[in-house]
Amino acid sequence: MIQFDYLALLARLLPETILVLGGLVILFVDQARAPRASLSSRVHFAGFFTLATCILAIASMALQTETGSFYRGMLVVTEFTKIAKGCLLILLAAAVISGLPARFTDHIGEYVALMLLGGVGLLLLASAEELLTAFIALELASLSLYLLAAFNKDSATSAEGALKYFLFGSVSAAFTLFGISLIFGLAGSTSFVKIAAVLSSAPLSPLLIAGLVLTSIGFGFKLAAAPLHLWAPDVYQGAPAPSAAFIASGSKLASLLVFSKVFVIALAPQAGSAAFAASVSGWMMVIAVLATVSIVLGNLLAIAQTNFRRLIAYSAIAHAGYALISVLAASDRGLASGLFYMFTYGLAVIGIFAIVGQLERTQGEMKLQDFAGLSRRSPLLAICLFVFILSLAGIPPLAGFFGKFYIFLAALDAPRPEGGAPGLLWLVILAIAGSAVSLYYYLQVLKQAFVVEAETTGAPPAPASVPLAATAILALAVFLLGCFPQILLEPLEAALHAPALAAPEFSAIAPDLSAAMK
């Protein structure tokens, strides 16, 4: 009889277990209090209990002294995954707290429980180094996110966006599963490390190319990378502000992590090269095309937007393109810079949706001209908006600038053709040009907030104290991570070089990949 150590499994899944229990407690307590308690007290209980749950989950990772790859790569616990999970939990807590008072629904218990269950899927996604586990975790998160996007029952836009999200997500999941089946058929395993070992001696067959393209569809969909972006503008526009913030932050960060692992670990032998005028067939060309199309399409379409949420959605497509450059770097620095970039982007975009959520309570759907006179109506919100927008634009000394800077630096350090210029220099130049274009539409927002006078002289918005404080803390975090990026980058790089890494990660695979590309 095979014995299974369930206590060991529980210890290895302690953060995820705490999130599940926290979601259940919030759900049951809210149901018990609903008949007699006010909506405001229920919302604040759910929000602060979520914050306590996330803090407890982060603290529990300090108790995880056992690191390694478990259950054939289905669960990986390393210092790096702990940091990644901590970043995801911070984004989850920030999205919930900054979204108070959540007046779009009376079912606050169910709503917050879904947020926590979605967080469980994202944590499992960050820990997976096996294709089927990654796919199941992706779908676990997706099911919660579909419902969160549709939670505003009074909004037809919310229902429309959620329906598009669900339909596109279902199709992309089918493509991804088919791609996984092709890779499994060629490699005989779904473990990233075993796939890499088998493919190291296998030629680049048409079936493998099909598997690469199909597998990239699902993870590219979650990143909202073009041309898999069609759901994003409608979801960002229609979803409740906390839902849109979580979809735009945590979902993208976890998807980038698994995207990087799939290609740089499992498919390292078939990387090829995306170097200008010296390209070699492989997945790097696929990712380079996705990044290029995302940067160009996202920035150009954002210029034409008048609805602020849709502008942020199209800018998110461009940011997905910048993040994909970190995958092409195929190195420790690339992975660390990619996580740093998506985390700081997540903080900024959550702060932006927090501001939007507070303004929409009094002004309705936000268009660019609705920000007119914000600096005089609500100076603190205007200052926070100033920090978040300039961080997204990549202006120093904010975190967004250093996120892009380290990604570009990792790309320039990537293997280059013999005696030639950096192979990804063309993509870095394109990304810098895209960032310059993005300044135009980002500064349009700030122009409205700080220069243009408001057409009406109505009462200034009265933001709720809790989300206002959360927004200010997020702005401070974006500023501090820009002034002191080593606070996060140094632990990330140290974790990637830690001897307890479970499998041959980036530090072990990148040298072989570099030699193969030369």
Side-chain angles (χ1 to χ4, degrees):
M1 181 178 179
I2 300 176
Q3 293 184 346
F4 192 83
D5 192 347
Y6 288 99
L7 287 179
L9 175 63
L10 182 63
R12 293 161 186 162
L13 290 174
L14 195 54
E16 292 85 351
T17 304
I18 290 172
L19 284 192
V20 171
L21 293 177
L24 293 176
V25 169
I26 290 173
L27 184 61
F28 287 123
V29 170
D30 184 71
Q31 288 296 315
R33 298 183 64 211
R36 60 181 185 278
S38 66
L39 178 61
S40 176
S41 66
R42 290 166 52 209
V43 166
H44 283 86
F45 167 78
F48 285 107
F49 195 87
T50 298
L51 178 61
T53 300
C54 291
I55 292 174
L56 183 60
I58 293 173
S60 72
M61 287 187 284
L63 303 175
Q64 293 180 309
T65 57
E66 183 186 20
T67 60
S69 178
F70 308 102
Y71 318 114
R72 299 179 182 178
M74 292 184 178
L75 177 66
V76 174
V77 180
T78 67
E79 294 305 317
F80 179 78
T81 59
K82 289 181 183 180
I83 296 175
K85 286 182 177 181
C87 292
L88 287 169
L89 289 167
I90 290 172
L91 294 178
L92 170 60
V96 174
I97 293 295
S98 63
L100 299 177
R103 293 180 179 174
F104 54 85
T105 181
D106 293 334
H107 304 281
I108 190 63
E110 293 95 321
Y111 181 77
V112 175
L114 282 173
M115 292 279 279
L116 290 172
L117 291 177
V120 171
L122 297 182
L123 293 186
L124 291 173
L125 194 61
S127 296
E129 286 188 8
E130 195 264 348
L131 282 173
L132 285 180
T133 307
F135 177 78
I136 293 170
L138 185 69
E139 291 308 297
L140 173 61
S142 296
L143 289 174
S144 298
L145 296 179
Y146 297 151
L147 294 173
L148 290 170
F151 225 84
N152 189 352
K153 297 180 181 179
D154 297 328
S155 172
T157 309
S158 176
E160 179 186 355
L163 181 60
K164 289 182 179 179
Y165 192 23
F166 172 71
L167 292 177
F168 281 115
S170 301
V171 173
S172 71
F175 279 116
T176 302
L177 196 57
F178 187 40
I180 290 173
S181 69
L182 291 178
I183 294 175
F184 173 75
L186 292 169
S189 175
T190 54
S191 168
F192 292 174
V193 177
K194 292 181 179 178
I195 290 173
V198 172
L199 295 183
S200 61
S201 58
L204 188 62
S205 65
L207 281 180
L208 180 58
I209 294 174
L212 293 177
V213 174
L214 293 173
T215 302
S216 65
I217 286 177
F219 303 119
F221 170 83
K222 285 300 178 188
L223 279 170
L228 309 167
H229 67 283
L230 298 178
W231 60 274
D234 294 289
V235 172
Y236 280 50
Q237 180 182 2
S243 302
F246 190 46
I247 292 170
S249 57
S251 177
K252 293 172 87 68
L253 191 154
S255 298
L256 179 67
L257 284 175
V258 74
F259 201 97
S260 300
K261 289 182 179 181
V262 167
F263 286 95
V264 183
I265 297 179
L267 304 175
Q270 305 293 350
S273 173
F276 184 75
S279 61
V280 179
S281 296
W283 57 259
M284 281 199 168
M285 283 305 302
V286 177
I287 306 303
V289 170
L290 285 178
T292 301
V293 176
S294 299
I295 293 170
V296 173
L297 196 65
N299 282 313
L300 292 182
L301 291 179
I303 293 175
Q305 303 306 311
T306 57
N307 182 285
F308 181 67
R309 285 198 183 207
R310 294 184 76 88
L311 183 149
I312 295 299
Y314 281 108
S315 76
I317 298 167
H319 284 282
Y322 303 139
L324 287 175
I325 298 176
S326 68
V327 180
L328 292 171
S331 63
D332 291 346
R333 176 177 286 179
L335 181 59
S337 60
L339 191 148
F340 178 86
Y341 180 73
M342 289 311 302
F343 177 64
T344 54
Y345 168 80
L347 292 177
V349 81
I350 288 173
I352 285 175
F353 275 108
I355 293 172
V356 169
Q358 293 172 67
L359 295 178
E360 284 180 341
R361 290 193 295 117
T362 56
Q363 297 180 234
E365 188 174 273
M366 295 295 295
K367 297 187 179 297
L368 291 185
Q369 59 267 28
D370 294 326
F371 286 95
L374 181 64
S375 61
R376 288 166 287 282
R377 292 183 286 128
S378 182
L380 181 56
L381 283 184
I383 291 172
C384 292
L385 181 67
F386 178 83
V387 172
F388 298 138
I389 289 293
L390 291 187
S391 179
L392 293 184
I395 301 299
L398 301 174
F401 168 79
F402 286 100
K404 288 181 181 178
F405 174 77
Y406 286 115
I407 283 180
F408 297 161
L409 193 62
L412 294 177
D413 285 343
R416 65 183 68 188
E418 194 71 32
L424 296 176
L425 179 61
W426 68 273
L427 191 53
V428 172
I429 294 174
L430 176 68
I432 293 173
S435 297
V437 172
S438 70
L439 273 175
Y440 172 77
Y441 56 81
Y442 284 135
L443 291 179
Q444 289 295 316
V445 180
L446 296 182
K447 175 185 174 182
Q448 294 290 330
F450 288 91
V451 178
V452 178
E453 295 286 344
E455 294 183 1
T456 60
T457 58
S465 57
V466 172
L468 183 62
T471 305
I473 291 172
L474 287 172
L476 181 62
V478 169
F479 177 75
L480 291 177
L481 282 172
C483 294
F484 308 101
Q486 67 273 15
I487 293 174
L488 181 56
L489 278 171
E490 287 183 358
L492 283 173
E493 293 182 352
L496 283 169
H497 290 91
L501 281 175
E505 294 263 6
F506 288 71
S507 57
I509 290 176
D512 297 333
L513 180 58
S514 302
M517 290 172 62
K518 288 181 179 179

